[in-house]
C-alpha cells in the first residue's frame, strides 16, 4: 500500500508516521529526513539542498526524486510505505505516479492533516529530538517524563533542527500554501483524499489515522 500524509510543517506528519509504522508494519519515508541525512553525509544532493532547507524553501524536484527513488527500491518497503513530506509539488505528484506504475502500484490513500497556521509556528519552533534515538519532544506539548532524560533510550543529548525557528517556519508555511496545498484538490479529484482534524491531541489524531489506515490495509 502507498499512503501519503499531506500537511503543513508542524501538522504532525512525522509524529504520526512513526506510530503508523509500528502499528501496521509499514515503512515511513520522510524526504525531509532523507535530505537531512544527505546534508549530514555531505553528498551532492545534500550540498544542493542545504541552503534551500535553511531558508525554508523547497528543494528542486529532481534532487528530491533521486533520493526517494533510491530508498523505494529497498526490500523493506514491499508491504507498504507512508510518504511523509512527499509529494510537495505537482511535478513530484506526477513523478510519483510514474514511479509507482513501474511496479504496478498506485497511491491508495492521501490523508490531509488539517490545521490552522498560527499554532503550527508554535509547534515547530518548540520542537527538539533525542540525539541518541530520534524520539521527538516539544518544549510545551511533550516533555520527557524525567527532565533532560529521553523516555525511550535514557540518553541526555538533545538536538534542534536549524530550520525550526519562528522566522523559517513562516517561510516553510508560505511554501506549503503556494506549492503543496494545491495537491489536496488534485487527490480529491482522484477520489483518494481523506481529511483528519490534526488540531486535536496526538492520541486522538493517531486513533483517527489508524482507523483509516486499517481500512486501506484491510486488516
Ligand atoms: P520536512 O522535514 O518534511 O519538514 P516539514 O514538512 O516542515 O514538517 P515538519 O517535520 O516540520 O513537521 P511534521 O508535520 O512532521 O510535524 P511533527 O510530527 O514533527 O521538510 C524540511 C525541509 O526539507 C523543507 O522545508 C524543504 O526544504 C525540504 N523538503 C523536504 N521534503 C521535500 C520535498 N518533497 N520537496 C522539496 N523539498 C523538501 O510535529 C511537530 C511538533 O508538534 C512536534 O514537536 C510534535 O511533538 C508536536 N505535535 C505533533 N502533533 C501534535 C498535536 N496533535 N498536538 C500538539 N503537538 C503536536
Ligand atoms: Zn532517546
Amino acid at each position: 500500500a502507498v499512503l501519503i500524509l499531506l500537511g503543513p510543517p508542524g501538522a504532525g506528519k512525522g509524529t504520526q508516521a512513526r506510530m503508523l509504522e509500528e502499528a501496521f508494519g509499514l515503512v515511513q519515508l520522510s524526504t525531509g529526513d532523507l535530505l537531512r541525512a544527505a546534508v549530514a553525509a555531505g553528498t551532492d544532493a545534500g550540498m544542493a539542498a542545504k541552503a534551500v532547507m535553511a531558508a525554508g524553501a523547497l528543494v528542486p524536484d529532481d534532487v528530491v526524486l533521486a533520493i526517494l527513488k533510491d530508498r523505494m527500491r529497498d526490500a523493506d518497503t514491499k508491504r507498504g510505505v507512508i510518504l511523509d513530506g512527499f509529494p510537495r509539488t505537482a511535478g513530484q505528484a506526477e513523478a510519483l505516479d510514474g514511479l509507482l506504475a513501474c511496479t504496478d502500484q498506485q497511491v491508495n490513500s492521501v490523508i490531509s492533516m488539517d490545521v490552522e497556521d498560527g499554532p503550527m509556528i508554535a509547534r515547530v519552533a518548540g520542537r527538539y529530538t533525542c540525539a541518541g534515538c530520534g524520539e521527538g519532544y516539544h518544549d510545551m506539548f511533550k516533555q520527557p517524563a524525567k527532565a533532560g532524560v529521553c523516555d525511550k533510550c535514557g540518553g541526555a543529548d538533545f538536538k534542534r533542527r536549524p530550520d525550526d525557528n519562528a522566522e523559517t517556519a513562516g517561510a516553510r508555511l508560505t511554501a506549503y500554501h503556494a506549492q503543496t496545498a494545491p495537491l489536496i484538490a488534485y487527490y480529491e479529484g482522484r477520489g483518494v483524499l481523506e481529511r483528519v482534524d490534526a488540531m486535536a491531541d496526538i492520541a486522538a489524531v493517531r486513533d483517527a489515522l489508524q482507523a483509516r489506515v486499517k481500512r486501506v490495509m484491510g486488516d
Side-chain angles (χ1 to χ4, degrees), residues 47-211:
M47 312 262 243
K50 190 174 181 182
V52 182
M53 292 174 77
L58 293 186
V59 174
D61 286 354
D62 57 337
V63 175
V64 176
L65 281 162
I67 60 165
L68 184 82
K69 254 187 212 166
D70 263 5
R71 183 65 181 89
M72 297 256 291
R73 284 199 196 97
D74 293 346
D76 65 340
T77 63
K78 283 253 157 56
R79 175 170 158 81
V81 293
I82 310 159
L83 297 174
D84 153 11
F86 179 92
R88 250 177 163 94
T89 64
Q92 290 180 16
E94 280 161 28
L96 175 63
D97 289 337
L99 189 65
L100 294 175
C102 296
T103 51
D104 267 335
Q105 289 177 283
Q106 57 185 15
V107 173
N108 298 100
S109 180
V110 179
I111 305 177
S112 170
M113 303 186 66
D114 295 342
V115 292
E116 292 155 23
D117 281 2
M120 288 311 104
I121 306 272
R123 274 195 201 176
V124 168
R127 175 173 55 178
Y128 61 98
T129 54
C130 170
C133 72
E135 179 71 0
Y137 294 98
H138 193 281
D139 290 332
M140 281 154 69
F141 310 124
K142 191 188 160 195
Q143 294 273 32
K146 186 159 172 259
V149 182
C150 175
D151 294 338
K152 276 231 164 138
C153 75
D157 209 10
F158 297 89
K159 58 180 184 186
R160 269 174 214 267
R161 272 166 52 176
D163 59 344
D164 279 351
N165 54 74
E167 192 190 330
T168 311
R172 287 157 58 197
L173 206 50
T174 302
Y176 172 79
H177 287 299
Q179 292 167 277
T180 307
L183 294 180
I184 294 174
Y186 173 78
Y187 285 117
E188 200 157 34
R190 288 180 30 180
V192 290
L193 189 87
E194 301 207 58
R195 288 174 181 275
V196 159
D197 171 17
M199 294 303 294
D201 65 36
I202 291 176
V205 177
R206 178 200 63 205
D207 292 347
L209 281 171
Q210 293 197 349

Side-chain angles (χ1 to χ4, degrees), residues 32-58:
D33 287 348
L34 292 171
L35 286 167
R36 278 184 288 280
V39 169
T43 65
D44 288 347
M47 312 262 243
K50 190 174 181 182
V52 182
M53 292 174 77
L58 293 186

Side-chain angles (χ1 to χ4, degrees), residues 1-63:
V2 178
L3 307 160
I4 296 173
L5 292 185
L6 199 63
K13 302 182 296 294
T15 302
Q16 297 294 340
R18 280 187 289 276
M19 289 194 274
L20 290 172
E21 185 172 58
E22 278 180 35
F24 294 93
L26 299 165
V27 171
Q28 172 199 18
L29 292 183
S30 157
T31 45
D33 287 348
L34 292 171
L35 286 167
R36 278 184 288 280
V39 169
T43 65
D44 288 347
M47 312 262 243
K50 190 174 181 182
V52 182
M53 292 174 77
L58 293 186
V59 174
D61 286 354
D62 57 337
V63 175

